[in-house]
Amino acid sequence: MSRVATVAAAILPLAFLAAFFAWPVLSILVMGLAPDGGLDIAAIADAWGRPWLLDTIVFTVALGATITLGSVVAGLPVAWLFARVSFPGRTALRALTVIPFVLPTVVVASAFLALLGPRSLLADLVAGNPWLPDLRLRLTDSAAAIVLAGVFYNVSVVARLVGGLWGQLDPRTEDAARALGATPLRTFREVTWPLLRPAVVSAASIVFLFSVTSFGLVLLLGAPGQPTLEVEIWRQASVMLDIPVAAALALIQIVGVTLLLVVNARWQERLAVEQRLRPAAETARPPRTRRERALVTCIALVTILFVGLPLLALVERSLITADGYGLGSWQALTVAGPRSPLSEPAIGAVIDSLTFALATLCIAGPIGLLAALVVGYHRGWLPRSFDALVMLPLGTSAVIVGFGFLIALDRPPLDLRTSILIIPIAHSLIALPFVVRAIAPVIRSIDPRLREAAAVLGAAPHRVWREVDAPLIGRAALVGAGFAFAISLGEFGATLFIARPETLTVPVAIDRLLSRPGASSFGQAMALATVLMLLTATSMVVIERFRSTRAQGTW
């Protein structure tokens, strides 16, 4: 990729980040730390002097590392299943695994409480039974609850990002190692793992950033005395109304995330391995031995249980009425009474969410592709810095970004506070890192000998890119586009601050229903969460089928 093309590709992502990330965040920091035009050191010193700050930072990092480790350990077998094995129901299972990631955090927390909490069905089954121990898992006010929900939330990130590259690795390399006498474990450790490390590190970095900036899960499941930095920023800004301290904490978070991203970008660059990638349709095969069939069955069943049971709990709760089981909560989604916390029927939020998701895909898809081209085709500190900048919105407080949108985007030429475009733009900021992380590892892994061979045969540079790079990048781009669509459907943190009553998204509508006491509102919230599950599953199945058809036809 030439220098001119690189500069051209970087212009749009840089302009987007400058206008819709740097400017809003800078506005909040200036308001909190420099209200009179000069930097107020006292606010920063005050934040650093708080006795709870160090404990909060340590807890935040430890929580994020634990969730990341659990997600990688749980996600790698699922990634192998999707990348290497062809079996009936693979597309449906792949769609099932991505649903947790796009559910609002309030719904995920409620699902785990409904499944394993002190008032769950499990608790009712074992309570008072002399033959069974008390298996009730009291998840409230527990770090274990946050870790469990975090792994449930992020396992699909590892499975899809790692599986996207794993599915294009040439299996003949592994077959050669096995033919030379290597055991399956040694083949994975010495052949497959070095090729997968860039994608694993890429996925782990996203999970870690998502975990350390998690808001809803920690707020609902965590102990009051153990907040993360993100929750403390929200508490200082929204509850204590102490904007200077909130801004100082946000500055600490941004600096820490920036350092982490720079180190991570350097690490990924060093781990990148150029290799010959193959179409995914050619690498998956049915299990051949009894041991492989048993392993596939075991991984599939564990995945279905781990992902499916909390989701089934949501469905079960949506069918509970005052007289038993029924469809009353579902019927209530189509009406809006005077006592409803929503200004329109809840089903209208579904239409709004689908519209915003399509707009997010159209914004984040092209911008993310351009950013991935800059990051993937080049080495050095400039691409690393660019990569860290693209990832930075993922590690920045959603509270600060949401407030920043309301404060900074209120006058020409960016007067968007009353525009519906503000929602897909905010969603695109969060989706952009996922699009880049889905595409960049694939670009780095393309064997340059393929391009050289095409050039020797007389192909012009633009044809080399079209015939060699573009087909391989296309699959990864579809994965990124699917994530952008799904992330927009379930985004909650930033949308909570910028959504208007007449343009609700499904997650915000669920939160408003849950905040209203009463069994009717709770049932509607669970029914609306079930609708979101079905929408997500349908969209992912469509993307998977389109991707598979294209793979068979062109790759």
Side-chain angles (χ1 to χ4, degrees):
M1 191 172 180
S2 67
R3 185 178 300 273
V4 174
T6 301
V7 173
I11 288 176
L12 184 58
L14 285 175
F16 180 79
L17 291 171
F20 301 114
F21 173 69
W23 174 239
V25 172
L26 183 62
S27 298
I28 287 291
L29 295 180
V30 169
M31 185 180 73
L33 302 179
D36 300 323
L39 181 62
D40 186 4
I41 304 297
I44 301 177
D46 182 32
W48 274 111
R50 301 294 174 98
W52 42 259
L53 179 59
L54 181 60
D55 291 339
T56 300
I57 294 176
V58 171
F59 178 73
T60 301
V61 174
L63 184 67
T66 305
I67 292 176
T68 302
L69 179 61
S71 300
V72 171
V73 171
L76 282 178
V78 183
W80 169 81
L81 188 69
F82 293 154
R84 285 294 193 235
V85 184
S86 175
F87 60 94
R90 184 175 70 157
T91 300
L93 183 59
R94 191 194 296 265
L96 175 67
T97 58
V98 82
I99 292 176
F101 183 72
V102 300
L103 286 177
T105 51
V106 291
V107 177
V108 173
S110 300
F112 273 88
L113 291 175
L115 180 66
L116 301 173
R119 297 182 179 179
S120 65
L121 291 175
L122 178 62
D124 294 339
L125 289 174
V126 301
N129 193 322
W131 300 100
L132 294 174
D134 189 356
L135 299 178
R136 285 177 292 182
L137 302 178
R138 301 185 179 276
L139 294 178
T140 54
D141 299 338
S142 167
I146 305 173
V147 172
L148 185 61
V151 173
F152 171 84
Y153 205 66
N154 291 297
V155 68
S156 65
V157 177
V158 178
R160 293 186 67 85
L161 293 184
V162 176
L165 178 60
W166 205 338
Q168 292 184 276
L169 298 182
D170 194 337
R172 292 175 296 184
T173 307
E174 299 169 345
D175 294 339
R178 296 292 300 275
L180 293 174
T183 63
L185 180 60
R186 185 178 180 185
T187 300
F188 176 80
R189 185 178 67 249
E190 297 185 7
V191 177
T192 308
W193 176 251
L195 302 177
L196 286 179
R197 276 186 300 184
V200 173
V201 172
S202 178
S205 65
I206 288 181
V207 173
F208 182 79
L209 288 178
F210 238 64
S211 301
V212 297
T213 58
S214 178
F215 177 67
L217 290 180
V218 181
L219 188 66
L220 295 173
L221 296 178
Q226 285 186 318
T228 60
L229 197 58
E230 177 78 3
V231 173
E232 190 59 38
I233 292 172
W234 168 81
R235 191 176 76 87
Q236 293 294 332
S238 302
V239 180
M240 307 299 293
L241 300 179
D242 195 341
I243 299 298
V245 172
L249 295 178
L251 182 62
I252 294 171
Q253 185 185 62
I254 291 172
V255 171
V257 168
T258 300
L259 293 175
L260 175 66
L261 291 175
V262 171
V263 173
N264 176 70
R266 174 62 175 168
W267 193 14
Q268 288 194 63
E269 184 178 294
R270 294 182 62 183
L271 291 176
V273 179
E274 295 174 342
Q275 54 193 299
R276 188 183 298 273
L277 300 180
R278 297 185 61 190
E282 299 177 4
T283 61
R285 56 173 177 78
R288 293 179 291 191
T289 65
R290 181 178 299 178
R291 178 179 296 181
E292 285 187 354
R293 287 192 291 270
L295 180 62
V296 169
T297 302
C298 180
I299 295 175
L301 287 178
V302 171
T303 302
I304 291 172
L305 290 175
F306 181 68
V307 176
L309 286 179
L311 302 182
L312 287 177
L314 287 180
V315 177
E316 187 266 342
R317 293 295 173 179
S318 73
L319 297 174
I320 293 179
T321 65
D323 301 323
Y325 288 101
L327 298 176
S329 297
W330 289 81
Q331 294 171 351
L333 295 180
T334 60
V335 298
R339 297 182 180 180
S340 174
L342 305 180
S343 59
E344 62 177 14
I347 200 66
V350 176
I351 300 175
D352 291 340
S353 286
L354 288 173
T355 303
F356 293 141
L358 288 173
T360 300
L361 188 152
C362 294
I363 297 172
I367 295 177
L369 175 60
L370 292 174
L373 295 178
V374 176
V375 173
Y377 278 116
H378 297 280
R379 303 288 190 270
W381 69 271
L382 277 176
R384 289 199 302 269
S385 301
F386 185 81
D387 182 54
L389 179 62
V390 171
M391 290 288 292
L392 193 56
L394 199 59
T396 303
S397 169
V399 177
I400 296 298
V401 173
F403 280 160
F405 267 50
L406 296 179
I407 292 173
L409 305 181
D410 63 341
R411 50 188 175 272
L414 293 176
D415 187 5
L416 299 176
R417 192 162 56 175
T418 59
S419 172
I420 61 173
L421 288 177
I422 196 172
I423 294 178
I425 289 174
H427 291 184
S428 298
L429 278 176
I430 301 172
L432 188 62
F434 289 89
V435 178
V436 175
R437 281 294 180 264
I439 301 173
V442 174
I443 295 176
R444 293 192 185 106
S445 300
I446 296 175
D447 192 338
R449 291 175 295 183
L450 295 175
R451 305 187 188 103
E452 295 169 1
V456 168
L457 293 174
H462 68 275
R463 186 178 180 186
V464 172
W465 193 90
R466 187 177 69 247
E467 300 291 342
V468 176
D469 293 43
L472 297 173
I473 295 173
R475 179 178 183 270
L478 285 176
V479 174
F483 266 118
F485 187 88
I487 287 168
S488 177
L489 283 177
E491 205 288 320
F492 172 68
T495 313
L496 184 63
F497 295 95
I498 59 178
R500 295 182 296 168
E502 65 272 17
T503 54
L504 286 180
T505 64
V506 172
V508 174
I510 292 172
D511 176 66
R512 294 187 181 181
L513 288 169
L514 287 175
S515 65
R516 184 74 175 261
S520 175
S521 296
F522 181 81
Q524 290 184 57
M526 296 299 101
L528 199 55
T530 304
V531 172
L532 181 58
M533 288 165 42
L534 296 175
L535 283 175
T536 306
T538 302
S539 64
M540 296 312 298
V541 167
V542 169
I543 290 173
E544 289 296 329
R545 289 191 178 276
F546 174 74
R547 189 179 72 177
S548 300
T549 302
R550 183 173 179 178
Q552 294 171 2
T554 62
W555 295 343

